[in-house]
């Protein structure tokens, strides 16, 4: 089982979209995938058609399970996760797609509890995932924006961290900050957790032939900040945002169109990087500013 956290401090840049479409792409290619929603906004759940509502469903929130575990109670993740493999029904060779869902009040309470207990409690999710390691090939974790005990918990749970940027300066700063945070996880967890930084996705991009100076500067800034951008950018595409309303990720709804193809390419590059040392990773070239249209 390989655990990938999708994280950046900046809000609204495409963490959730990347998480669910990457998870969907991996599942379409035959893998057994668990998407973990660690953001109290619970949008990853929405993206795969699960919304926890009503008191009877709170007990299926990851926030509830985390609280129980932190207080020394045993709760198995398999009793709360949702099997969403029906989304893959049309694909004969598909794997499986499960979701650990969350909900705001339980997740916020879990966040407070982890914060109170300090850094030594951040490996809590990792320990729970280790117990189910033989049931999944990939776990993809959606994280909240900003720095919090929940984002620290996600990084501690991860074998690999992917960050996300959009062609705007604050997004570059947020991704660089997250890349820096990854370096401290090992020390802060006394060596128990050691995530590897894997690269940055440029999301909401235009075709390179239409790039203005800001887009060129962001791409070059990603290279200069050693964010290791992937070769494939995810273009701005309404089909990606619309898919939230249908509870089916764009990589599934539009599997044979641009969203499916781009997320498929990104997935392959992520898997390739997992198998190679950073010095062998393929990254895009710097772009001359004169190449921009303005
Ligand atoms: N490539 C894209 N093309 C068009 N719309 C996109 C794209 N990527 C994301 N969006 C839209 O942008 C908005 C923010 O995306 P998303 O929710 O994935 O970001 P986020 O980083 O998870 O946000 P938050 O920090 O609030 O969790 C959503 O409405 C989403 O549908
Ligand atoms: Mg999100």
């Amino acid at each position: 089982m390989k655990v990938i956290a999708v994280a950046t401090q900046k809000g609204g840049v495409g963490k959730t979209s990347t998480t669910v479409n990457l998870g969907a792409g991996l599942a379409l290619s035959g893998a057994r995938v668990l998407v973990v929603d660690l953001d109290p906004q619970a949008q990853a759940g929405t993206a795969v058609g699960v919304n926890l509502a009503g008191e009877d469903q709170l007990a299926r929130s990851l926030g509830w399970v985390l609280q129980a575990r932190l207080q020394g109670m045993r709760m198995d993740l398999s009793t709360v996760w949702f099997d969403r493999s029906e989304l893959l029904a049309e694909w004969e060779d598909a794997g499986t797609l499960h979701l650990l869902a969350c909900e705001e009040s339980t997740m916020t309470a879990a966040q407070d509890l982890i914060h109170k207990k300090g850094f030594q409690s951040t490996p809590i999710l990792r320990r729970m995932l280790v117990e189910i390691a033989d049931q999944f090939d990939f776990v993809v974790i959606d994280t909240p924006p900003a720095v919090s005990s929940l984002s620290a918990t996600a990084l501690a749970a991860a074998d690999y961290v992917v960050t996300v940027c959009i062609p705007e300066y604050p997004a570059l700063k947020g991704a660089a900050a997250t890349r820096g945070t990854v370096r401290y996880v090992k020390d802060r967890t006394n060596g128990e957790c050691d995530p590897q930084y894997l690269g940055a996705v440029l999301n909401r991009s235009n075709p390179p032939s239409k790039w203005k100076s800001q887009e060129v500067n962001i791409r070059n800034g990603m290279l200069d900040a050693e964010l290791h951008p992937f070769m494939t950018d995810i273009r701005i595409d309404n089909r990606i945002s619309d898919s939230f309303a249908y509870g089916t990720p764009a990589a599934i709804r539009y599997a044979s169109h641009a969203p499916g193809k781009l997320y498929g390419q990104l997935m392959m590059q992520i898997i390739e990087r997992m198998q190679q040392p950073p010095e062998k990773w393929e990254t895009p070239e710097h772009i001359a500013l004169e190449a921009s249209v303005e």
Side-chain angles (χ1 to χ4, degrees), residues 230-251:
F230 292 100
M231 294 298 289
T232 297
D233 303 328
I234 303 296
R235 301 272 170 87
I236 190 153
D237 188 328
N238 284 343
R239 288 173 291 188
I240 293 175
S241 38
D242 285 354
S243 296
F244 277 82
Y246 297 96
T248 307

Side-chain angles (χ1 to χ4, degrees), residues 145-221:
V147 182
S148 72
S149 58
L150 286 179
S151 51
T153 300
L155 296 184
D159 298 308
Y160 302 99
V161 178
V162 168
T163 192
V164 186
C165 215
I166 55 171
E168 291 176 15
Y169 290 106
L172 180 59
K173 215 173 144 193
T178 295
R179 198 239 177 292
T181 308
V182 174
R183 295 194 179 99
Y184 297 112
V185 175
K186 192 173 178 187
D187 271 357
R188 288 178 178 170
T189 59
N190 296 323
E192 182 176 351
C193 307
D194 189 14
Q196 188 192 341
Y197 176 78
L198 210 59
V201 182
L202 181 61
N203 184 37
R204 299 180 68 108
S205 73
N206 285 302
S209 60
K210 291 192 182 156
W211 278 14
K212 298 191 172 161
S213 59
Q214 172 152 300
E215 289 173 295
V216 172
N217 284 331
I218 296 290
R219 158 51 53 74
N220 291 343

Side-chain angles (χ1 to χ4, degrees), residues 259-276:
K261 286 180 186 163
L262 289 178
Y263 282 114
Q265 287 171 18
L266 181 65
M267 175 190 86
M268 293 309 294
Q269 288 160 30
I270 285 175
I271 291 170
E272 270 170 32
R273 285 192 181 184
M274 286 177 178
Q275 293 159 353
Q276 288 181 334

Side-chain angles (χ1 to χ4, degrees), residues 4-7 14-20 35-45 62 102 107 139-145 150 154 244:
I4 306 166
V6 180
K15 291 179 292 299
T16 304
S17 304
T18 306
T19 302
V20 297
V35 170
V36 177
D37 194 350
L38 206 59
D39 181 355
Q41 296 180 92
Q43 291 286 352
L62 175 58
C102 84
M107 210 52 170
V139 175
V140 194
I141 307 176
D142 188 24
T143 64
L150 286 179
F244 277 82

